[in-house]
Amino acid sequence: MIGHAGTPVTRADCLAWDREDELAAYRERFVLPEGVIYLDGNSLGALPVQTAPSVESVIRREWGQGLVRSWNDAGWFAKPEVLGDLVAPLIGAGPGEVVIGESTSVSLFQMLTAAVRMRPGRRVVVAEERSFPTDLYLLASVQEIAGGLERRLLGPDSTLDDVLDDDVAVVLLSHVDYRTGTMHDLETVTRRIHDAGALVVWDLCHSAGAVPIDLTGAEVDFAVGCSYKYLNGGPGAPSFIYVAARHHEAAAPPLTGWHGHVDPFSFTPGYEPAPGISRFRIGTPPMISLAALESTLLMWQEIDLDQVRAKSLALTDLFIDLVETRLGAWVSEVVVPRDHAARGSQVSVRVDNGYAVMQALIDRGVIGDFRAPDLMRFGFAPLYLSATDVWDAVAVLAEILETNAWQAPQYAVRQSVT
Ligand SMILES: *Cc1c(COP(=O)(O)O)cnc(C)c1O
């Protein structure tokens, strides 16, 4: 823990903890503006130092000089699988089980449909009522296309036991909830779903790069995740797709593009899926975006996720403690499990006028975000945050609340992205 049990944490305690922090050196591996405390790495991860030169080199050498030859010479064609193999150790997958896909939304559609097709006699898909909306929107399309597929929603007070039966084909779950930071027990939940004869699709958007994940150990069927959040792949970086090797032959993704074909350059009129994970590819991948993603994934190869997790829990514990002891008069609820096993790497705080308070905070260099109707959301990316950052962020927030600085009229104006 940061500080000493029984006495209030001080800024000096935070400085002392940071001096012992084995991940502290990674701060230098990121470009962050002077004076900014970045608590939104769960929405868009920070820019790694090596990304701009790597991307520039791909643009100048591979595109500019290599031209179309780079599909072979620079290994462009195989990049989705090569980068998939770099994601694999971060989520406990084996080689050949992960490929870089399209946006998370498109990849979810690919996987959900493939999963539903693998349980033809069953007519129900279970999802969470409060899941990230795109997951539910895509599920609605899958239902329509599959014809007569029923959706059963898990409410905040219901459990899997309430919804699982012999009709359930697939269960779609977020490992860490994007609003509350609550984390499922991947292994126990997967086992419960398998016991009911259903398949599971895990959405790892808010856990990949923040929490150690063992997809192989938990025998997960399908998973998808964002690479632009904790993994720092850059705005719009494509998602990753995991399909357990045992399902590769049976999986039939609905979007059958030429990059998923067994022999794309035969240009034959009939579709025949590639063996293995490659059948989840669709069309020409965004090479410049993949160059950015590759540069960050190479850095991630050397990082110990257990260390990341330990620091994440220390920072979220500190934040919760400081908010409760210093901001109790304004904060009606700190929305995150106190139990470490059920906590991701974020903390949401319920505050009246949370939107305006967040705008005032961002104006002072402390960047978090806001999720309607009333949650101020803070993400803790351990590679570039210190305990002292957390201390300073809470001090700025306290000042805004004590002085009512958030009441300035400009903070009430809603921007399109919150
Ligand atoms: C961030 C996020 C997405 C984003 O999907 P995109 O297609 O990349 O915009 C989807 N699902 C969850 C759970 C997320 O947190």
PDB file of all heavy atoms in Angstrom, residues 41-42 90-91 175-176 183 204-213 229-231 300 304-313 343-346 379-383:
ATOM      1  N   GLY A  41      -6.345   6.840 -20.087  1.00  0.00           N
ATOM      2  CA  GLY A  41      -5.680   5.819 -20.902  1.00  0.00           C
ATOM      3  C   GLY A  41      -6.566   4.622 -21.169  1.00  0.00           C
ATOM      4  O   GLY A  41      -6.243   3.768 -21.998  1.00  0.00           O
ATOM      5  N   ASN A  42      -7.713   4.552 -20.482  1.00  0.00           N
ATOM      6  CA  ASN A  42      -8.690   3.498 -20.746  1.00  0.00           C
ATOM      7  C   ASN A  42      -9.596   3.870 -21.919  1.00  0.00           C
ATOM      8  O   ASN A  42     -10.397   3.071 -22.368  1.00  0.00           O
ATOM      9  CB  ASN A  42      -9.537   3.241 -19.502  1.00  0.00           C
ATOM     10  CG  ASN A  42     -10.167   4.507 -18.964  1.00  0.00           C
ATOM     11  OD1 ASN A  42      -9.565   5.578 -19.033  1.00  0.00           O
ATOM     12  ND2 ASN A  42     -11.360   4.418 -18.420  1.00  0.00           N
ATOM     13  N   LEU A  90      -0.085 -11.400 -24.092  1.00  0.00           N
ATOM     14  CA  LEU A  90      -0.681 -10.420 -23.174  1.00  0.00           C
ATOM     15  C   LEU A  90      -2.059 -10.870 -22.685  1.00  0.00           C
ATOM     16  O   LEU A  90      -2.594 -10.319 -21.728  1.00  0.00           O
ATOM     17  CB  LEU A  90      -0.805  -9.048 -23.854  1.00  0.00           C
ATOM     18  CG  LEU A  90       0.479  -8.501 -24.489  1.00  0.00           C
ATOM     19  CD1 LEU A  90       0.197  -7.203 -25.224  1.00  0.00           C
ATOM     20  CD2 LEU A  90       1.542  -8.282 -23.405  1.00  0.00           C
ATOM     21  N   ILE A  91      -2.659 -11.851 -23.381  1.00  0.00           N
ATOM     22  CA  ILE A  91      -3.993 -12.313 -22.996  1.00  0.00           C
ATOM     23  C   ILE A  91      -4.025 -13.823 -22.754  1.00  0.00           C
ATOM     24  O   ILE A  91      -5.096 -14.413 -22.677  1.00  0.00           O
ATOM     25  CB  ILE A  91      -5.062 -11.905 -24.057  1.00  0.00           C
ATOM     26  CG1 ILE A  91      -4.677 -12.425 -25.449  1.00  0.00           C
ATOM     27  CG2 ILE A  91      -5.234 -10.387 -24.086  1.00  0.00           C
ATOM     28  CD1 ILE A  91      -5.754 -12.165 -26.518  1.00  0.00           C
ATOM     29  N   HIS A 175     -15.369  -8.218 -19.877  1.00  0.00           N
ATOM     30  CA  HIS A 175     -14.549  -8.661 -18.748  1.00  0.00           C
ATOM     31  C   HIS A 175     -14.549  -7.589 -17.656  1.00  0.00           C
ATOM     32  O   HIS A 175     -14.784  -7.869 -16.484  1.00  0.00           O
ATOM     33  CB  HIS A 175     -13.130  -8.940 -19.255  1.00  0.00           C
ATOM     34  CG  HIS A 175     -12.229  -9.552 -18.247  1.00  0.00           C
ATOM     35  ND1 HIS A 175     -10.870  -9.473 -18.334  1.00  0.00           N
ATOM     36  CD2 HIS A 175     -12.476 -10.254 -17.117  1.00  0.00           C
ATOM     37  CE1 HIS A 175     -10.333 -10.103 -17.303  1.00  0.00           C
ATOM     38  NE2 HIS A 175     -11.286 -10.585 -16.557  1.00  0.00           N
ATOM     39  N   VAL A 176     -14.297  -6.319 -18.069  1.00  0.00           N
ATOM     40  CA  VAL A 176     -14.382  -5.199 -17.129  1.00  0.00           C
ATOM     41  C   VAL A 176     -15.435  -4.230 -17.657  1.00  0.00           C
ATOM     42  O   VAL A 176     -15.391  -3.845 -18.827  1.00  0.00           O
ATOM     43  CB  VAL A 176     -13.026  -4.479 -16.986  1.00  0.00           C
ATOM     44  CG1 VAL A 176     -13.171  -3.200 -16.164  1.00  0.00           C
ATOM     45  CG2 VAL A 176     -11.988  -5.397 -16.334  1.00  0.00           C
ATOM     46  N   MET A 183     -15.074  -6.166 -12.530  1.00  0.00           N
ATOM     47  CA  MET A 183     -14.464  -7.225 -13.343  1.00  0.00           C
ATOM     48  C   MET A 183     -15.070  -8.585 -13.013  1.00  0.00           C
ATOM     49  O   MET A 183     -15.221  -8.945 -11.855  1.00  0.00           O
ATOM     50  CB  MET A 183     -12.950  -7.257 -13.091  1.00  0.00           C
ATOM     51  CG  MET A 183     -12.227  -8.282 -13.929  1.00  0.00           C
ATOM     52  SD  MET A 183     -10.439  -8.016 -13.958  1.00  0.00           S
ATOM     53  CE  MET A 183     -10.003  -8.522 -12.310  1.00  0.00           C
ATOM     54  N   LEU A 204     -12.756  -7.803 -24.172  1.00  0.00           N
ATOM     55  CA  LEU A 204     -11.609  -7.481 -23.299  1.00  0.00           C
ATOM     56  C   LEU A 204     -11.175  -6.015 -23.412  1.00  0.00           C
ATOM     57  O   LEU A 204     -10.058  -5.663 -23.006  1.00  0.00           O
ATOM     58  CB  LEU A 204     -10.420  -8.392 -23.650  1.00  0.00           C
ATOM     59  CG  LEU A 204     -10.658  -9.905 -23.622  1.00  0.00           C
ATOM     60  CD1 LEU A 204      -9.391 -10.647 -24.060  1.00  0.00           C
ATOM     61  CD2 LEU A 204     -11.078 -10.363 -22.221  1.00  0.00           C
ATOM     62  N   CYS A 205     -12.045  -5.163 -23.963  1.00  0.00           N
ATOM     63  CA  CYS A 205     -11.638  -3.773 -24.236  1.00  0.00           C
ATOM     64  C   CYS A 205     -11.036  -3.076 -23.017  1.00  0.00           C
ATOM     65  O   CYS A 205     -10.070  -2.327 -23.138  1.00  0.00           O
ATOM     66  CB  CYS A 205     -12.830  -2.974 -24.730  1.00  0.00           C
ATOM     67  SG  CYS A 205     -13.221  -3.327 -26.444  1.00  0.00           S
ATOM     68  N   HIS A 206     -11.624  -3.295 -21.832  1.00  0.00           N
ATOM     69  CA  HIS A 206     -11.155  -2.571 -20.653  1.00  0.00           C
ATOM     70  C   HIS A 206     -10.266  -3.411 -19.740  1.00  0.00           C
ATOM     71  O   HIS A 206     -10.036  -3.048 -18.587  1.00  0.00           O
ATOM     72  CB  HIS A 206     -12.342  -1.981 -19.887  1.00  0.00           C
ATOM     73  CG  HIS A 206     -12.896  -0.776 -20.579  1.00  0.00           C
ATOM     74  ND1 HIS A 206     -12.306   0.458 -20.476  1.00  0.00           N
ATOM     75  CD2 HIS A 206     -13.908  -0.651 -21.446  1.00  0.00           C
ATOM     76  CE1 HIS A 206     -12.963   1.314 -21.230  1.00  0.00           C
ATOM     77  NE2 HIS A 206     -13.943   0.670 -21.841  1.00  0.00           N
ATOM     78  N   SER A 207      -9.778  -4.537 -20.256  1.00  0.00           N
ATOM     79  CA  SER A 207      -8.848  -5.320 -19.431  1.00  0.00           C
ATOM     80  C   SER A 207      -7.528  -5.602 -20.135  1.00  0.00           C
ATOM     81  O   SER A 207      -6.492  -5.696 -19.461  1.00  0.00           O
ATOM     82  CB  SER A 207      -9.494  -6.613 -18.943  1.00  0.00           C
ATOM     83  OG  SER A 207     -10.038  -7.359 -20.007  1.00  0.00           O
ATOM     84  N   ALA A 208      -7.512  -5.707 -21.466  1.00  0.00           N
ATOM     85  CA  ALA A 208      -6.253  -6.011 -22.159  1.00  0.00           C
ATOM     86  C   ALA A 208      -5.232  -4.902 -21.894  1.00  0.00           C
ATOM     87  O   ALA A 208      -5.494  -3.733 -22.127  1.00  0.00           O
ATOM     88  CB  ALA A 208      -6.506  -6.148 -23.657  1.00  0.00           C
ATOM     89  N   GLY A 209      -4.080  -5.284 -21.382  1.00  0.00           N
ATOM     90  CA  GLY A 209      -3.027  -4.320 -21.071  1.00  0.00           C
ATOM     91  C   GLY A 209      -3.129  -3.740 -19.666  1.00  0.00           C
ATOM     92  O   GLY A 209      -2.257  -2.977 -19.249  1.00  0.00           O
ATOM     93  N   ALA A 210      -4.172  -4.108 -18.927  1.00  0.00           N
ATOM     94  CA  ALA A 210      -4.321  -3.585 -17.569  1.00  0.00           C
ATOM     95  C   ALA A 210      -4.342  -4.706 -16.542  1.00  0.00           C
ATOM     96  O   ALA A 210      -3.976  -4.504 -15.379  1.00  0.00           O
ATOM     97  CB  ALA A 210      -5.613  -2.777 -17.448  1.00  0.00           C
ATOM     98  N   VAL A 211      -4.768  -5.885 -16.981  1.00  0.00           N
ATOM     99  CA  VAL A 211      -5.008  -6.998 -16.071  1.00  0.00           C
ATOM    100  C   VAL A 211      -4.406  -8.252 -16.722  1.00  0.00           C
ATOM    101  O   VAL A 211      -4.583  -8.452 -17.920  1.00  0.00           O
ATOM    102  CB  VAL A 211      -6.543  -7.211 -15.918  1.00  0.00           C
ATOM    103  CG1 VAL A 211      -6.841  -8.369 -15.003  1.00  0.00           C
ATOM    104  CG2 VAL A 211      -7.232  -5.950 -15.447  1.00  0.00           C
ATOM    105  N   PRO A 212      -3.712  -9.103 -15.964  1.00  0.00           N
ATOM    106  CA  PRO A 212      -3.266 -10.369 -16.570  1.00  0.00           C
ATOM    107  C   PRO A 212      -4.496 -11.203 -16.954  1.00  0.00           C
ATOM    108  O   PRO A 212      -5.463 -11.271 -16.185  1.00  0.00           O
ATOM    109  CB  PRO A 212      -2.480 -11.051 -15.449  1.00  0.00           C
ATOM    110  CG  PRO A 212      -2.200  -9.983 -14.438  1.00  0.00           C
ATOM    111  CD  PRO A 212      -3.305  -8.981 -14.562  1.00  0.00           C
ATOM    112  N   ILE A 213      -4.468 -11.782 -18.131  1.00  0.00           N
ATOM    113  CA  ILE A 213      -5.608 -12.557 -18.628  1.00  0.00           C
ATOM    114  C   ILE A 213      -5.069 -13.899 -19.101  1.00  0.00           C
ATOM    115  O   ILE A 213      -4.054 -13.947 -19.789  1.00  0.00           O
ATOM    116  CB  ILE A 213      -6.283 -11.827 -19.810  1.00  0.00           C
ATOM    117  CG1 ILE A 213      -6.830 -10.469 -19.360  1.00  0.00           C
ATOM    118  CG2 ILE A 213      -7.406 -12.678 -20.419  1.00  0.00           C
ATOM    119  CD1 ILE A 213      -7.278  -9.577 -20.506  1.00  0.00           C
ATOM    120  N   LYS A 229      -6.816   1.356 -26.275  1.00  0.00           N
ATOM    121  CA  LYS A 229      -7.033   1.775 -24.884  1.00  0.00           C
ATOM    122  C   LYS A 229      -5.733   1.532 -24.111  1.00  0.00           C
ATOM    123  O   LYS A 229      -4.742   2.193 -24.375  1.00  0.00           O
ATOM    124  CB  LYS A 229      -8.257   1.060 -24.328  1.00  0.00           C
ATOM    125  CG  LYS A 229      -9.530   1.579 -25.029  1.00  0.00           C
ATOM    126  CD  LYS A 229     -10.802   0.872 -24.662  1.00  0.00           C
ATOM    127  CE  LYS A 229     -11.980   1.530 -25.405  1.00  0.00           C
ATOM    128  NZ  LYS A 229     -13.217   0.746 -25.326  1.00  0.00           N
ATOM    129  N   TYR A 230      -5.714   0.567 -23.180  1.00  0.00           N
ATOM    130  CA  TYR A 230      -4.488   0.384 -22.378  1.00  0.00           C
ATOM    131  C   TYR A 230      -3.286  -0.047 -23.221  1.00  0.00           C
ATOM    132  O   TYR A 230      -2.151   0.077 -22.778  1.00  0.00           O
ATOM    133  CB  TYR A 230      -4.724  -0.642 -21.273  1.00  0.00           C
ATOM    134  CG  TYR A 230      -5.682  -0.180 -20.200  1.00  0.00           C
ATOM    135  CD1 TYR A 230      -6.999  -0.612 -20.176  1.00  0.00           C
ATOM    136  CD2 TYR A 230      -5.263   0.716 -19.212  1.00  0.00           C
ATOM    137  CE1 TYR A 230      -7.878  -0.184 -19.201  1.00  0.00           C
ATOM    138  CE2 TYR A 230      -6.131   1.146 -18.227  1.00  0.00           C
ATOM    139  CZ  TYR A 230      -7.436   0.697 -18.224  1.00  0.00           C
ATOM    140  OH  TYR A 230      -8.313   1.115 -17.251  1.00  0.00           O
ATOM    141  N   LEU A 231      -3.540  -0.588 -24.426  1.00  0.00           N
ATOM    142  CA  LEU A 231      -2.415  -1.078 -25.238  1.00  0.00           C
ATOM    143  C   LEU A 231      -1.755   0.018 -26.074  1.00  0.00           C
ATOM    144  O   LEU A 231      -0.750  -0.233 -26.740  1.00  0.00           O
ATOM    145  CB  LEU A 231      -2.868  -2.241 -26.129  1.00  0.00           C
ATOM    146  CG  LEU A 231      -3.193  -3.541 -25.377  1.00  0.00           C
ATOM    147  CD1 LEU A 231      -3.723  -4.599 -26.347  1.00  0.00           C
ATOM    148  CD2 LEU A 231      -1.971  -4.084 -24.642  1.00  0.00           C
ATOM    149  N   TRP A 300       5.377  -3.765 -25.309  1.00  0.00           N
ATOM    150  CA  TRP A 300       4.620  -4.594 -24.364  1.00  0.00           C
ATOM    151  C   TRP A 300       5.239  -5.974 -24.148  1.00  0.00           C
ATOM    152  O   TRP A 300       5.001  -6.611 -23.120  1.00  0.00           O
ATOM    153  CB  TRP A 300       3.160  -4.735 -24.827  1.00  0.00           C
ATOM    154  CG  TRP A 300       2.308  -3.588 -24.388  1.00  0.00           C
ATOM    155  CD1 TRP A 300       1.938  -2.508 -25.125  1.00  0.00           C
ATOM    156  CD2 TRP A 300       1.736  -3.386 -23.081  1.00  0.00           C
ATOM    157  NE1 TRP A 300       1.170  -1.648 -24.379  1.00  0.00           N
ATOM    158  CE2 TRP A 300       1.028  -2.167 -23.125  1.00  0.00           C
ATOM    159  CE3 TRP A 300       1.749  -4.119 -21.893  1.00  0.00           C
ATOM    160  CZ2 TRP A 300       0.345  -1.659 -22.010  1.00  0.00           C
ATOM    161  CZ3 TRP A 300       1.065  -3.617 -20.796  1.00  0.00           C
ATOM    162  CH2 TRP A 300       0.378  -2.398 -20.860  1.00  0.00           C
ATOM    163  N   ASP A 304       5.906  -6.907 -17.601  1.00  0.00           N
ATOM    164  CA  ASP A 304       5.336  -7.940 -16.751  1.00  0.00           C
ATOM    165  C   ASP A 304       3.947  -7.481 -16.291  1.00  0.00           C
ATOM    166  O   ASP A 304       3.818  -6.533 -15.514  1.00  0.00           O
ATOM    167  CB  ASP A 304       6.275  -8.150 -15.553  1.00  0.00           C
ATOM    168  CG  ASP A 304       5.729  -9.149 -14.550  1.00  0.00           C
ATOM    169  OD1 ASP A 304       4.590  -9.632 -14.734  1.00  0.00           O
ATOM    170  OD2 ASP A 304       6.448  -9.438 -13.568  1.00  0.00           O
ATOM    171  N   LEU A 305       2.919  -8.166 -16.781  1.00  0.00           N
ATOM    172  CA  LEU A 305       1.554  -7.721 -16.462  1.00  0.00           C
ATOM    173  C   LEU A 305       1.200  -7.884 -14.991  1.00  0.00           C
ATOM    174  O   LEU A 305       0.310  -7.190 -14.485  1.00  0.00           O
ATOM    175  CB  LEU A 305       0.534  -8.443 -17.353  1.00  0.00           C
ATOM    176  CG  LEU A 305       0.339  -7.748 -18.707  1.00  0.00           C
ATOM    177  CD1 LEU A 305      -0.310  -8.682 -19.724  1.00  0.00           C
ATOM    178  CD2 LEU A 305      -0.513  -6.479 -18.561  1.00  0.00           C
ATOM    179  N   ASP A 306       1.882  -8.783 -14.287  1.00  0.00           N
ATOM    180  CA  ASP A 306       1.633  -8.889 -12.843  1.00  0.00           C
ATOM    181  C   ASP A 306       2.094  -7.613 -12.130  1.00  0.00           C
ATOM    182  O   ASP A 306       1.453  -7.143 -11.184  1.00  0.00           O
ATOM    183  CB  ASP A 306       2.345 -10.108 -12.251  1.00  0.00           C
ATOM    184  CG  ASP A 306       1.682 -11.404 -12.691  1.00  0.00           C
ATOM    185  OD1 ASP A 306       0.449 -11.416 -12.860  1.00  0.00           O
ATOM    186  OD2 ASP A 306       2.393 -12.405 -12.885  1.00  0.00           O
ATOM    187  N   GLN A 307       3.219  -7.054 -12.597  1.00  0.00           N
ATOM    188  CA  GLN A 307       3.693  -5.775 -12.040  1.00  0.00           C
ATOM    189  C   GLN A 307       2.713  -4.645 -12.369  1.00  0.00           C
ATOM    190  O   GLN A 307       2.430  -3.791 -11.532  1.00  0.00           O
ATOM    191  CB  GLN A 307       5.048  -5.430 -12.665  1.00  0.00           C
ATOM    192  CG  GLN A 307       6.213  -5.735 -11.784  1.00  0.00           C
ATOM    193  CD  GLN A 307       7.532  -5.291 -12.425  1.00  0.00           C
ATOM    194  OE1 GLN A 307       7.573  -4.744 -13.517  1.00  0.00           O
ATOM    195  NE2 GLN A 307       8.615  -5.552 -11.725  1.00  0.00           N
ATOM    196  N   VAL A 308       2.223  -4.651 -13.611  1.00  0.00           N
ATOM    197  CA  VAL A 308       1.252  -3.636 -14.031  1.00  0.00           C
ATOM    198  C   VAL A 308       0.004  -3.713 -13.138  1.00  0.00           C
ATOM    199  O   VAL A 308      -0.502  -2.703 -12.656  1.00  0.00           O
ATOM    200  CB  VAL A 308       0.865  -3.845 -15.514  1.00  0.00           C
ATOM    201  CG1 VAL A 308      -0.341  -2.999 -15.907  1.00  0.00           C
ATOM    202  CG2 VAL A 308       2.059  -3.532 -16.417  1.00  0.00           C
ATOM    203  N   ARG A 309      -0.444  -4.931 -12.913  1.00  0.00           N
ATOM    204  CA  ARG A 309      -1.654  -5.138 -12.114  1.00  0.00           C
ATOM    205  C   ARG A 309      -1.441  -4.678 -10.665  1.00  0.00           C
ATOM    206  O   ARG A 309      -2.305  -4.008 -10.079  1.00  0.00           O
ATOM    207  CB  ARG A 309      -2.028  -6.624 -12.153  1.00  0.00           C
ATOM    208  CG  ARG A 309      -3.196  -7.015 -11.278  1.00  0.00           C
ATOM    209  CD  ARG A 309      -4.478  -6.389 -11.729  1.00  0.00           C
ATOM    210  NE  ARG A 309      -5.625  -6.935 -10.989  1.00  0.00           N
ATOM    211  CZ  ARG A 309      -6.783  -6.312 -10.872  1.00  0.00           C
ATOM    212  NH1 ARG A 309      -6.968  -5.130 -11.446  1.00  0.00           N
ATOM    213  NH2 ARG A 309      -7.772  -6.852 -10.194  1.00  0.00           N
ATOM    214  N   ALA A 310      -0.285  -5.031 -10.089  1.00  0.00           N
ATOM    215  CA  ALA A 310      -0.019  -4.636  -8.701  1.00  0.00           C
ATOM    216  C   ALA A 310      -0.015  -3.112  -8.582  1.00  0.00           C
ATOM    217  O   ALA A 310      -0.578  -2.540  -7.640  1.00  0.00           O
ATOM    218  CB  ALA A 310       1.312  -5.222  -8.237  1.00  0.00           C
ATOM    219  N   LYS A 311       0.584  -2.445  -9.562  1.00  0.00           N
ATOM    220  CA  LYS A 311       0.624  -0.975  -9.501  1.00  0.00           C
ATOM    221  C   LYS A 311      -0.762  -0.390  -9.722  1.00  0.00           C
ATOM    222  O   LYS A 311      -1.155   0.577  -9.061  1.00  0.00           O
ATOM    223  CB  LYS A 311       1.619  -0.433 -10.528  1.00  0.00           C
ATOM    224  CG  LYS A 311       1.728   1.092 -10.489  1.00  0.00           C
ATOM    225  CD  LYS A 311       2.879   1.613 -11.316  1.00  0.00           C
ATOM    226  CE  LYS A 311       2.864   3.146 -11.359  1.00  0.00           C
ATOM    227  NZ  LYS A 311       3.920   3.688 -12.246  1.00  0.00           N
ATOM    228  N   SER A 312      -1.501  -0.967 -10.650  1.00  0.00           N
ATOM    229  CA  SER A 312      -2.865  -0.493 -10.906  1.00  0.00           C
ATOM    230  C   SER A 312      -3.708  -0.542  -9.624  1.00  0.00           C
ATOM    231  O   SER A 312      -4.424   0.410  -9.286  1.00  0.00           O
ATOM    232  CB  SER A 312      -3.503  -1.352 -12.004  1.00  0.00           C
ATOM    233  OG  SER A 312      -4.898  -1.344 -11.924  1.00  0.00           O
ATOM    234  N   LEU A 313      -3.597  -1.652  -8.896  1.00  0.00           N
ATOM    235  CA  LEU A 313      -4.390  -1.778  -7.658  1.00  0.00           C
ATOM    236  C   LEU A 313      -3.913  -0.785  -6.602  1.00  0.00           C
ATOM    237  O   LEU A 313      -4.728  -0.200  -5.874  1.00  0.00           O
ATOM    238  CB  LEU A 313      -4.320  -3.215  -7.130  1.00  0.00           C
ATOM    239  CG  LEU A 313      -5.104  -4.239  -7.983  1.00  0.00           C
ATOM    240  CD1 LEU A 313      -4.803  -5.661  -7.526  1.00  0.00           C
ATOM    241  CD2 LEU A 313      -6.605  -3.963  -7.924  1.00  0.00           C
ATOM    242  N   ARG A 343     -12.125  -5.816  -9.419  1.00  0.00           N
ATOM    243  CA  ARG A 343     -11.870  -4.446  -9.869  1.00  0.00           C
ATOM    244  C   ARG A 343     -10.962  -4.408 -11.094  1.00  0.00           C
ATOM    245  O   ARG A 343      -9.929  -5.063 -11.114  1.00  0.00           O
ATOM    246  CB  ARG A 343     -11.215  -3.646  -8.726  1.00  0.00           C
ATOM    247  CG  ARG A 343     -11.042  -2.166  -9.064  1.00  0.00           C
ATOM    248  CD  ARG A 343     -10.118  -1.453  -8.074  1.00  0.00           C
ATOM    249  NE  ARG A 343     -10.517  -1.629  -6.694  1.00  0.00           N
ATOM    250  CZ  ARG A 343      -9.730  -1.319  -5.660  1.00  0.00           C
ATOM    251  NH1 ARG A 343      -8.532  -0.803  -5.858  1.00  0.00           N
ATOM    252  NH2 ARG A 343     -10.143  -1.514  -4.431  1.00  0.00           N
ATOM    253  N   GLY A 344     -11.347  -3.651 -12.103  1.00  0.00           N
ATOM    254  CA  GLY A 344     -10.464  -3.404 -13.242  1.00  0.00           C
ATOM    255  C   GLY A 344      -9.470  -2.315 -12.896  1.00  0.00           C
ATOM    256  O   GLY A 344      -8.992  -2.235 -11.758  1.00  0.00           O
ATOM    257  N   SER A 345      -9.153  -1.445 -13.852  1.00  0.00           N
ATOM    258  CA  SER A 345      -8.123  -0.433 -13.604  1.00  0.00           C
ATOM    259  C   SER A 345      -8.689   0.976 -13.711  1.00  0.00           C
ATOM    260  O   SER A 345      -8.040   1.888 -14.190  1.00  0.00           O
ATOM    261  CB  SER A 345      -6.959  -0.629 -14.588  1.00  0.00           C
ATOM    262  OG  SER A 345      -5.814   0.054 -14.132  1.00  0.00           O
ATOM    263  N   GLN A 346      -9.931   1.137 -13.288  1.00  0.00           N
ATOM    264  CA  GLN A 346     -10.550   2.454 -13.352  1.00  0.00           C
ATOM    265  C   GLN A 346     -11.418   2.668 -12.119  1.00  0.00           C
ATOM    266  O   GLN A 346     -11.797   1.715 -11.445  1.00  0.00           O
ATOM    267  CB  GLN A 346     -11.416   2.572 -14.590  1.00  0.00           C
ATOM    268  CG  GLN A 346     -12.613   1.630 -14.547  1.00  0.00           C
ATOM    269  CD  GLN A 346     -13.539   1.826 -15.718  1.00  0.00           C
ATOM    270  OE1 GLN A 346     -13.175   1.524 -16.849  1.00  0.00           O
ATOM    271  NE2 GLN A 346     -14.734   2.335 -15.458  1.00  0.00           N
ATOM    272  N   GLY A 379      -9.291   6.559 -15.474  1.00  0.00           N
ATOM    273  CA  GLY A 379      -8.582   5.321 -15.782  1.00  0.00           C
ATOM    274  C   GLY A 379      -7.139   5.423 -15.307  1.00  0.00           C
ATOM    275  O   GLY A 379      -6.539   6.508 -15.324  1.00  0.00           O
ATOM    276  N   PHE A 380      -6.588   4.298 -14.879  1.00  0.00           N
ATOM    277  CA  PHE A 380      -5.234   4.306 -14.305  1.00  0.00           C
ATOM    278  C   PHE A 380      -4.336   3.384 -15.131  1.00  0.00           C
ATOM    279  O   PHE A 380      -4.400   2.166 -15.009  1.00  0.00           O
ATOM    280  CB  PHE A 380      -5.299   3.878 -12.834  1.00  0.00           C
ATOM    281  CG  PHE A 380      -6.095   4.863 -12.020  1.00  0.00           C
ATOM    282  CD1 PHE A 380      -7.487   4.800 -11.991  1.00  0.00           C
ATOM    283  CD2 PHE A 380      -5.462   5.897 -11.357  1.00  0.00           C
ATOM    284  CE1 PHE A 380      -8.233   5.745 -11.284  1.00  0.00           C
ATOM    285  CE2 PHE A 380      -6.192   6.840 -10.643  1.00  0.00           C
ATOM    286  CZ  PHE A 380      -7.583   6.767 -10.614  1.00  0.00           C
ATOM    287  N   ALA A 381      -3.531   3.999 -15.996  1.00  0.00           N
ATOM    288  CA  ALA A 381      -2.608   3.248 -16.844  1.00  0.00           C
ATOM    289  C   ALA A 381      -1.245   3.255 -16.143  1.00  0.00           C
ATOM    290  O   ALA A 381      -0.556   4.276 -16.114  1.00  0.00           O
ATOM    291  CB  ALA A 381      -2.520   3.890 -18.220  1.00  0.00           C
ATOM    292  N   PRO A 382      -0.848   2.128 -15.549  1.00  0.00           N
ATOM    293  CA  PRO A 382       0.318   2.109 -14.659  1.00  0.00           C
ATOM    294  C   PRO A 382       1.649   2.432 -15.337  1.00  0.00           C
ATOM    295  O   PRO A 382       2.611   2.763 -14.650  1.00  0.00           O
ATOM    296  CB  PRO A 382       0.327   0.673 -14.119  1.00  0.00           C
ATOM    297  CG  PRO A 382      -1.088   0.227 -14.241  1.00  0.00           C
ATOM    298  CD  PRO A 382      -1.587   0.862 -15.501  1.00  0.00           C
ATOM    299  N   LEU A 383       1.725   2.340 -16.663  1.00  0.00           N
ATOM    300  CA  LEU A 383       3.020   2.594 -17.308  1.00  0.00           C
ATOM    301  C   LEU A 383       3.400   4.070 -17.274  1.00  0.00           C
ATOM    302  O   LEU A 383       4.570   4.402 -17.362  1.00  0.00           O
ATOM    303  CB  LEU A 383       3.021   2.089 -18.756  1.00  0.00           C
ATOM    304  CG  LEU A 383       2.867   0.582 -18.953  1.00  0.00           C
ATOM    305  CD1 LEU A 383       3.077   0.225 -20.423  1.00  0.00           C
ATOM    306  CD2 LEU A 383       3.829  -0.205 -18.082  1.00  0.00           C
TER     307      LEU A 383
END
